[in-house]
Amino acid sequence: MTRLITAALLGALSLTACAQAPQPDAAAAKPAAAKPASAASAASGSADDRARAAIAKLNPRAKVEYVGAAPLPGFREVIAGGQLLYVSDDGRYLMQGAVLDLEQQEDLMQNSPALAGYRSKLIATIPKSERIVFAPPNAKYTVTVFTDIECGYCRKLHGEIGELNRQGIAVEYLAFPRMGLGSQDHKDMISVWCSPDRKRALTDAKAGKPVASRDCKNPVTMEFDVGQRIGVSGTPAIYSTEGVQLGGYLPPAALRAKLDELAAKKAPAAAGGAAP
């Protein structure tokens, strides 16, 4: 039973998205054997140090991107492999999934400002010129969508791009070839990004039309890497400008409603922080 739990946790900390084919190094990697929790709790140093040590004992290959105080007393908030985890201050216990604040009626992990900020900063490293953008005049909202040209729901979402624009939503596409680097999917997405008319090439590819083979200096691998680092596990993956994951596929009206809800939550916080 312990082996099963450890294997599941190591999988959660993996940098390989579940919707893509295994990369060569990921396929060859052997999970590290779990060590007793008491060893982690005995680690010296600060609570942050003990949290890092606990993750390292579970998976030495997992890169810890952030450690800070969690809203749950007695725990540290950790971002590793694009995943959010809670580790107890003594390094003994780890939680992943939903942590509900019953008083505030919210999921603390899903609404983590640290995770959203981490995602937002990474996405911002991709220049606007390297994105494929479908935007209406005077867009009210902008979303970033990690997309693939093969997946059905990516095609469905793109088929509704006109309605998304009519809802005041600008869509900025980033490449995430879910079949992995070196796949035909990856090569076809490079051809799309190397096209003189990227928007037309992407639309044609998502409609199932043949992709003319092209090559050039392109951002596809970089965008795929950013997607992995923020924990993209399938396509489409939709993020707000603040780094909040809004979902996978959503109908245009539902996506607009989520963006309105997010904006409404931000408004009181912004008013509270404004100078008198």
Side-chain angles (χ1 to χ4, degrees):
M1 182 68 171
T2 301
R3 288 181 180 274
L4 291 175
I5 293 172
T6 303
L9 182 57
L10 290 172
L13 292 178
S14 168
L15 295 184
T16 303
C18 67
Q20 69 179 80
Q23 300 304 292
D25 61 334
K30 300 290 185 183
K35 296 185 179 180
S38 58
S41 63
S44 60
S46 67
D48 285 7
D49 293 335
R50 288 188 286 273
R52 291 179 183 275
I55 298 299
K57 287 180 183 297
L58 283 170
N59 186 353
R61 297 176 64 246
K63 183 178 180 181
V64 175
E65 306 279 0
Y66 167 86
V67 180
L72 187 67
F75 283 81
R76 311 308 288 173
E77 194 172 52
V78 180
I79 298 173
Q83 306 296 318
L84 182 69
L85 310 164
Y86 281 2
V87 179
S88 60
D89 287 347
D90 62 4
R92 181 173 180 179
Y93 300 103
L94 182 149
M95 295 190 298
Q96 182 183 29
V99 175
L100 303 180
D101 182 332
L102 298 180
E103 183 175 323
Q104 297 296 323
Q105 293 291 300
E106 68 171 346
D107 182 343
L108 297 178
M109 284 192 162
Q110 178 65 28
N111 297 320
S112 165
L115 182 58
Y118 164 75
R119 290 168 172 165
S120 180
K121 287 178 182 177
L122 272 179
I123 291 171
T125 64
I126 300 172
K128 295 288 186 181
S129 61
E130 302 292 6
R131 310 176 187 205
I132 299 180
V133 180
F134 291 79
N138 304 314
K140 183 173 178 62
Y141 300 114
T142 298
V143 295
T144 299
V145 180
F146 286 87
T147 193
D148 176 78
I149 61 174
E150 295 289 340
C151 82
Y153 278 107
C154 295
R155 293 183 172 189
K156 183 173 176 62
L157 181 74
H158 192 67
E160 297 168 342
I161 199 75
E163 180 57 27
L164 286 164
N165 286 172
R166 283 188 286 274
Q167 291 277 353
I169 303 170
V171 175
E172 297 185 351
Y173 281 122
L174 301 181
F176 195 87
R178 62 192 180 122
M179 297 309 294
L181 302 182
S183 66
Q184 187 59 48
D185 188 27
H186 178 220
K187 294 173 184 175
D188 287 344
M189 294 195 81
I190 288 174
S191 295
V192 166
W193 255 258
C194 288
S195 171
D197 186 345
R198 290 176 174 177
K199 292 172 67 173
R200 171 52 59 188
L202 184 66
T203 298
D204 287 347
K206 285 177 179 287
K209 296 180 181 179
V211 178
S213 180
R214 292 186 173 88
D215 197 8
C216 66
K217 183 179 179 181
N218 67 84
V220 172
T221 299
M222 174 187 66
E223 293 177 2
F224 178 79
D225 177 64
V226 168
Q228 286 195 310
R229 290 176 65 191
I230 68 172
V232 172
S233 59
T235 51
I238 307 174
Y239 295 87
S240 72
T241 54
E242 298 84 9
V244 175
Q245 184 166 10
L246 301 167
Y249 166 77
L250 287 172
L255 180 56
R256 173 61 193 256
K258 277 208 166 188
L259 289 164
D260 285 340
E261 181 183 355
L262 186 62
K265 287 180 179 178
K266 284 173 54 183

